[in-house]
Amino acid sequence: MTIESETTAAALSATQLSPNRLETLSNRVAADSAEQFTVRAPATDGEIGDVPACTERDVERAVERARDAQSNWAETPVDERATILERFGDLVLKHRAELLDLLQLETGKSRRHAVEEVLDVPLTCSYYADSGPTAVTDERRRGAIPPATTASVTKNPVGVVGVISPWNYPLTLSLTDVVPALLAGNTVVLKPDEKTPFIALALVELLERAGLPDGVLEIVTGAGSVAGPTLIDHVDYVSFTGSTETGRIVAARAGRNLIDCSLELGGKNPLVVLDDADVEEAARGAVQACFTNAGQLCLAAERIYVDKSVYDAFVDAFVGETRRLSLGTGFDFEDDVGSLIDGDHLEQVETHVEDAVDSGASLLTGGRHRPDVGPFCYEPTILTGVDPDSLVAREETFGPVVSVQPVPDAETAIEAANDSPYGLNASVWTGSRDRGLEVAREIDCGTVCVNDAYVSGWAAIDAPMGGVGDSGLGRRHGPEGIDRYLETRTIATSRVGPLDAPPGVPTSWYARGMVTLTRLQRRLPTAASVARWLR
Ligand code: NAD
């Protein structure tokens, strides 16, 4: 592996990383393929290093190794599995400096946004280490005719889980799905995005150091179109995070194989400012909602609807706050907003803004590519007067671009917020918490944050997270995040032999007896009614 670009050599010198270290990480991929692909640093467009391009056979072998390791891992006591994950969380914190360097190098994001990822992992580990053992424990349920019959539910790992992750939050969005899968006793094959394999390799290394046995977490690197379909064809469950377009391909393939999947997809997230909102606070929140990770965040707001009575004040404050953001690619905590991931993505962002302006929108701030800062840096951009049929109004931009629009009242804001095929995250700003909760219930999104951009929703790890409509299927986080990785089975027993007419009893008598029994049974308490009484 060679560092060919002087600019990347310069970037590496600003970090704890060396070409040898990157080569050690690359060598962790078990691949027969001699083919490699090159990973580039968005901040400089220089080469970081090469990583094996796994073939279909490499992926099959990785799944075979994971399958071989699965029964031993499932038999490892759950508390021991939890301890390994807790230890891993500690190691992530301990090695945060290197992880932050890798994250910045591969994604071009600012360090202040990279740190959000590093802090998220230990919290996820602790949450599932604590709640996971209960989630995987067998449960007794009410039998058909208690106490003559019983029912219990056993929970087994689904087997080998395939996790396919994106480049925008490569650490968080791999681990948040890997950790509960492992805790549940599954083994995992992780396929990170081809733009960000090194951070995933560093995580696998730390998990092994934390005590994860061989084969329990395998990693395959390479093109999504090669490794992805093969992975889906051989695993027992797929956890996918990425674009809606690829999500449909993944779902179709999983459906063909009759395996279950969770799909965390794109969004066109609305932010609503009501007439009683503190506009200064809402403006600060909107900056975080729109420009975190240069807008390359699935939960980022891309449409803002503001009550007309506070529109001018909000826009003044929002534009002012946005203009104060610094754009940069430094490996310290100085810059607010980093780079876009690559040239293709920059082109998509520029196309959306040009299309909006060509169809009549006005730029309130931003709207310029900034090669002087970095080859793919783009200014935080606020548009108004956007044509409702323009690209920026309808399609996910996934960049530092937002449109802002006045609305006459809260009802219109809700209607506008819901006018999208997506439904991932929304943010509502108001002076009244009760009103915020009321409006939140009316918005068709998997998560709605009141008086916050997205952090309070994401960081509530005990609560489910996911999208509706084109934003996906299934939920991560919370009990739902581990339940998806468990195969539940019911085992029922009878203490009275077959539940059928006893020998010699006429069927008409038996039927009459069953009617009486059914009447009694309908009065039996269920687990839900007992819980209501106890409340
Ligand atoms: P993408 O769909 O291009 O790639 C995501 C992953 O899928 C990558 O690992 C890629 O290699 C793999 N892949 C590509 N083709 C595949 C195929 N045919 N079969 C299987 N896997 C394949 O998405 P992206 O551009 O990397 O990520 C950005 C998108 O992800 C945005 O739309 C964003 O909103 C979305 N996203 C959603 C969430 C969420 O939690 N809902 C989180 C982050 C990103």
Side-chain angles (χ1 to χ4, degrees):
M1 191 175 73
T2 50
I3 296 290
E4 286 174 12
S5 153
E6 277 178 29
T7 42
T8 299
L12 277 191
S13 70
T15 72
Q16 292 190 1
L17 300 163
S18 67
N20 282 348
R21 174 70 181 129
L22 294 170
E23 190 168 1
T24 306
L25 289 174
S26 173
N27 288 340
R28 298 188 69 82
V29 182
D32 287 344
S33 164
E35 244 184 80
Q36 306 258 317
F37 66 97
T38 301
V39 183
R40 306 187 81 87
T44 58
D45 201 24
E47 295 179 5
I48 297 174
D50 295 340
V51 174
C54 289
T55 60
E56 292 172 1
R57 187 67 199 117
D58 290 328
V59 177
E60 284 167 11
R61 288 217 182 95
V63 178
E64 281 162 18
R65 287 191 297 275
R67 206 167 280 294
D68 288 346
Q70 202 265 320
S71 53
N72 272 348
W73 178 242
E75 280 161 22
T76 303
V78 65
D79 290 337
E80 215 172 292
R81 300 200 294 261
T83 303
I84 292 172
L85 293 172
E86 278 282 38
R87 218 181 285 139
F88 165 67
D90 293 342
L91 286 173
V92 167
L93 283 178
K94 186 169 169 204
H95 293 277
R96 64 187 181 281
E98 182 184 82
L99 294 174
L100 287 172
D101 285 350
L102 267 176
L103 271 171
Q104 283 200 277
L105 194 65
E106 281 193 310
T107 66
K109 64 174 66 184
S110 67
R111 206 162 185 88
R112 59 184 296 172
H113 296 146
V115 85
E116 287 181 4
E117 289 206 62
V118 170
L119 298 180
D120 185 63
V121 174
L123 289 174
T124 305
C125 290
S126 299
Y127 174 75
Y128 282 112
D130 185 57
S131 65
T134 309
V136 304
T137 304
D138 294 353
E139 284 173 34
R140 283 195 63 179
R141 300 280 175 91
R142 196 181 76 181
I145 311 174
T149 68
T150 67
S152 57
V153 174
T154 64
K155 299 179 186 178
N156 299 311
V158 291
V160 181
V161 171
V163 173
I164 301 176
S165 59
W167 49 263
N168 64 327
Y169 278 75
L171 199 151
T172 287
L173 293 177
S174 300
L175 263 298
T176 209
D177 293 324
V178 166
V179 164
L182 293 177
L183 201 282
N186 301 282
T187 52
V188 173
V189 181
L190 169 66
K191 198 218 85 62
D193 192 279
E194 40 277 54
K195 297 181 189 82
T196 51
F198 283 109
I199 188 74
L201 288 162
L203 289 175
V204 175
E205 184 185 76
L206 289 183
L207 268 162
E208 283 177 15
R209 231 189 268 173
L212 201 72
D214 282 352
V216 173
L217 176 60
E218 289 284 324
I219 184 161
V220 289
T221 49
S225 56
V226 176
T230 313
L231 186 62
I232 300 166
D233 285 350
H234 290 87
V235 294
D236 305 302
Y237 185 98
V238 182
S239 182
F240 172 82
T241 308
S243 62
T244 299
E245 195 186 349
T246 312
R248 289 188 203 281
I249 298 171
V250 169
R253 193 123 189 159
R256 210 176 69 192
N257 294 331
L258 278 183
I259 59 167
D260 206 353
C261 61
S262 51
L263 305 168
E264 305 285 346
L265 310 178
K268 188 77 196 169
N269 307 301
L271 184 149
V272 169
V273 183
L274 298 178
D275 55 3
D276 59 351
D278 174 333
V279 287
E280 303 288 333
E281 204 172 86
R284 280 204 312 280
V287 165
Q288 186 186 27
C290 303
F291 305 124
T292 294
N293 202 26
Q296 301 165 116
L297 163 68
C298 56
L299 306 171
E302 296 197 355
R303 306 176 285 146
I304 300 185
Y305 304 105
V306 189
D307 191 284
K308 62 179 185 336
S309 62
V310 291
Y311 181 77
D312 289 342
F314 171 80
V315 167
D316 274 357
F318 182 37
V319 170
E321 291 280 346
T322 301
R323 286 193 178 138
R324 275 191 281 282
L325 293 174
S326 60
L327 194 59
T329 58
F331 283 80
D332 51 31
F333 287 95
E334 295 305 307
D335 304 317
D336 295 316
V337 179
S339 174
L340 294 175
I341 190 75
D342 61 17
D344 287 347
H345 197 49
L346 170 68
E347 201 179 310
Q348 173 176 318
V349 170
E350 286 185 303
T351 303
H352 276 212
V353 175
E354 280 162 19
D355 173 72
V357 172
D358 288 349
S359 52
S362 309
L363 274 168
L364 294 178
T365 187
R368 284 185 310 161
H369 172 208
R370 292 289 301 274
D372 53 316
V373 182
F376 312 125
C377 285
Y378 195 85
E379 287 177 347
T381 300
I382 306 174
L383 293 158
T384 189
V386 161
D387 180 331
D389 292 326
S390 62
L391 291 173
V392 89
R394 315 268 4 137
E395 291 182 14
E396 183 184 42
T397 307
F398 214 54
V401 178
V402 65
S403 65
V404 56
Q405 186 185 318
V407 287
D409 49 38
E411 288 66 40
T412 315
I414 294 167
E415 219 172 278
N418 289 339
D419 182 19
S420 168
Y422 293 107
L424 192 58
N425 182 58
S427 167
V428 178
W429 295 81
T430 169
S432 153
R433 190 174 162 274
D434 286 348
R435 194 167 171 222
L437 293 174
E438 224 171 86
V439 170
R441 281 177 204 282
E442 298 295 315
I443 296 182
D444 302 333
C445 283
T447 312
V448 184
C449 296
V450 177
N451 291 337
D452 185 45
Y454 64 89
V455 180
S456 56
W458 175 268
I461 301 177
D462 194 27
M465 186 99 206
V468 302
D470 285 1
S471 291
L473 290 176
R475 297 289 180 266
R476 54 164 55 120
H477 284 178
E480 293 83 352
I482 192 164
D483 285 351
R484 65 189 157 147
Y485 297 130
L486 291 165
E487 201 73 79
T488 53
R489 291 187 300 153
T490 297
I491 298 179
T493 64
S494 167
R495 296 191 169 100
V496 293
L499 293 190
D500 200 354
V505 174
T507 312
S508 60
W509 290 19
Y510 176 71
R512 233 177 291 146
M514 287 310 288
V515 169
T516 309
L517 195 60
T518 301
R519 286 201 173 108
L520 282 173
Q521 250 183 304
R522 292 181 68 205
R523 277 160 185 72
L524 279 179
T526 59
S529 53
V530 171
R532 272 198 303 275
W533 287 334
L534 291 176
R535 241 187 267 144

